[in-house]
Amino acid sequence: MIPTIEWQGQHVRMVDQRKLPSKVEWYICRGYKDVINAIEKMVIRGAPAIGVAAAMGLALGARSIRAKTVPDFTARFKEIGEEMFHARPTAVNLRWAIERMIGLVEKMSDHPADAIKTSLRQESEKILAEDIQINRKMGMNGQGLIPEGATILTHCNAGSLATGGYGTALGVIRAAHERGKKIQVIADETRPWLQGLRLTAFELMEDGIPVSVIADNAAGSLMRQKRIDLVITGADRIAANGDVANKIGTYQVAVLAKTHKIPFYVAAPLSTIDPTVKNGDLIPVEQRGPEEICRFGKLQVGPPGVMALNPAFDITPCKYVSAIITEKGVIKPPFRTGIKNQLGDSYSP
Ligand code: MRU
């Protein structure tokens, strides 16, 4: 699989996901503003991948700071962190990565700025490597939920491209496939950015996992015909009570799954859980421009000037979620207790 993001000498490069699968093009980030632009413009997307990008972006940003003292360096570094924070609002992995990088700077306050800069780059490399390991653990923990011969519905792309590598929801699917289970995947196309069609289908085909794409509005009918055995998605943020923010369209899939008595699983690293938000209503949902709805690629399809609503995410209340799979194991309802147990010391509402 193509690496989602990596250091290349003094630069960070990421595969431009807007162009996949027709072109594999690299987007080169020479400074932190390039990374902010990449996150805003969907060059890189997917909650864990956004976290990794933010960490690398901050390491790039640190390199450009010309402060005379470490307190001045720290103050400027925090300003860059604040700028990065506003790139996209829903995926909490962005804030998580920024806080981790700022925490490192604060811990190293008695070191020279050059040493801090070196450590920040190393930390960003560590975050990337850890993310891949976490996804593999999640895969191991979740694959037992996938029966032999299952047909699995997924929404959006929660694969290698949405993470440092391997994927969350697709990581669980990959782990089941690696264990020899004969499974197949139905991928919602995921309008308007078509992450399901362009990215999920691409990844699964590369791995030889049978996949069929459906229009988003076909999921209910397939469930009614008993052609789907389970649903598994990723998450952009999970509230303390287990409510899940994920790509727009996830909620309707979860409601349909419950109606048809089909398990609905969410796979996400602990860095996606935000215990500071009590429930999903408090999660900020990104609203994107109307042009993403009314155009198809560069082609204007809707009547010129038509209004459109374009929420990029929705909230699935925890009552629709059968289990949350993390690197520490499988959390079953009631989620509040399971989340608290798994987060341990880092649980701070
Ligand atoms: O707008 P996107 O493409 O960043 O949205 C991505 C999703 O909603 C994913 O399902 C989520 O980030 C989980 S990715 C492991």
Side-chain angles (χ1 to χ4, degrees):
M1 194 65 217
I2 316 160
T4 311
I5 181 167
E6 62 188 10
W7 281 97
Q8 197 191 35
Q10 295 307 301
H11 307 137
V12 170
R13 70 172 195 168
M14 39 183 93
V15 64
D16 189 338
Q17 298 194 27
R18 299 167 304 181
K19 312 260 167 78
L20 288 173
S22 33
K23 275 191 219 152
V24 177
E25 251 178 43
W26 295 99
Y27 178 94
I28 308 295
C29 301
R30 296 188 162 77
Y32 78 92
K33 284 193 189 282
D34 296 331
V35 175
I36 293 178
N37 185 58
I39 296 172
E40 284 171 354
K41 302 273 163 54
M42 306 281 288
V43 173
I44 190 160
R45 32 65 51 201
I50 290 172
V52 174
M56 291 186 177
L58 286 177
L60 284 174
R63 214 175 52 202
S64 65
I65 301 174
R66 303 273 165 266
K68 294 219 166 64
T69 66
V70 171
D72 286 354
F73 171 86
T74 305
R76 177 65 194 129
F77 186 76
K78 287 184 178 173
E79 282 171 12
I80 295 174
E82 183 62 27
E83 256 185 84
M84 186 78 69
F85 175 73
H86 292 104
R88 282 190 85 189
T90 304
V92 74
N93 308 61
L94 176 67
R95 187 186 81 201
W96 172 88
I98 295 168
E99 283 173 356
R100 178 158 161 178
M101 297 295 269
I102 290 177
L104 177 69
V105 170
E106 285 173 342
K107 235 190 280 160
M108 292 186 73
S109 58
D110 53 352
H111 290 68
D114 279 347
I116 303 176
K117 290 178 186 180
T118 306
S119 297
L120 284 167
R121 172 162 172 166
Q122 286 164 352
E123 190 71 2
S124 73
E125 285 163 346
K126 202 165 147 203
I127 288 174
L128 171 64
E130 279 174 11
D131 187 56
I132 300 170
Q133 274 176 8
I134 284 171
N135 291 335
R136 288 204 170 265
K137 279 194 192 146
M138 228 184 294
M140 247 162 44
N141 295 338
Q143 63 80 27
L145 297 168
I146 300 188
E148 167 63 35
T151 300
I152 306 153
L153 178 78
T154 189
H155 189 73
C156 195
N157 170 263
S160 178
L161 290 161
T163 63
Y166 201 65
T168 57
L170 291 198
V172 174
I173 292 170
R174 285 196 161 102
H177 174 75
E178 283 162 12
R179 275 159 187 77
K181 293 187 190 173
K182 300 264 174 299
I183 52 174
Q184 60 163 324
V185 177
I186 306 279
D188 281 345
E189 61 173 344
T190 318
R191 284 255 304 140
W193 276 85
L194 303 177
Q195 290 94 331
L197 170 64
R198 295 186 303 105
L199 310 176
T200 297
F202 171 62
E203 283 196 26
L204 292 174
M205 285 175 81
E206 277 213 326
D207 277 12
I209 301 175
V211 55
S212 307
V213 179
I214 56 168
D216 294 325
N217 36 18
S221 168
L222 290 181
M223 288 185 191
R224 206 170 91 78
Q225 295 169 54
K226 303 199 184 313
R227 290 168 67 185
I228 290 167
D229 299 305
L230 64 113
V231 180
I232 179 159
T233 72
D236 288 85
R237 195 184 298 217
I238 299 174
N241 69 342
D243 289 354
V244 173
N246 193 47
K247 178 52 55 194
I248 189 74
T250 303
Y251 170 56
Q252 61 204 35
V253 170
V255 173
L256 281 163
K258 188 154 187 107
T259 299
H260 294 284
K261 301 190 172 37
I262 296 168
F264 178 90
Y265 300 122
V266 173
L270 292 175
S271 56
T272 300
I273 300 180
D274 181 0
T276 70
V277 291
K278 269 200 330 235
N279 61 57
D281 292 340
L282 301 168
I283 298 177
V285 170
E286 178 182 14
Q287 307 292 321
R288 296 184 67 91
E291 67 289 348
E292 293 181 355
I293 303 289
C294 301
R295 286 190 201 146
F296 217 79
K298 294 211 166 95
L299 183 72
Q300 173 76 32
V301 181
V306 67
M307 292 195 292
L309 304 176
N310 187 11
F313 300 96
D314 60 25
I315 308 299
T316 297
C318 58
K319 67 176 179 188
Y320 295 107
V321 180
S322 312
I324 298 173
I325 303 152
T326 76
E327 64 270 36
K328 285 223 177 135
V330 177
I331 311 177
K332 295 257 172 74
F335 293 116
R336 199 181 294 281
T337 319
I339 285 175
K340 206 167 165 188
N341 289 342
Q342 285 209 1
L343 284 179
D345 287 348
S346 51
Y347 183 86
S348 53

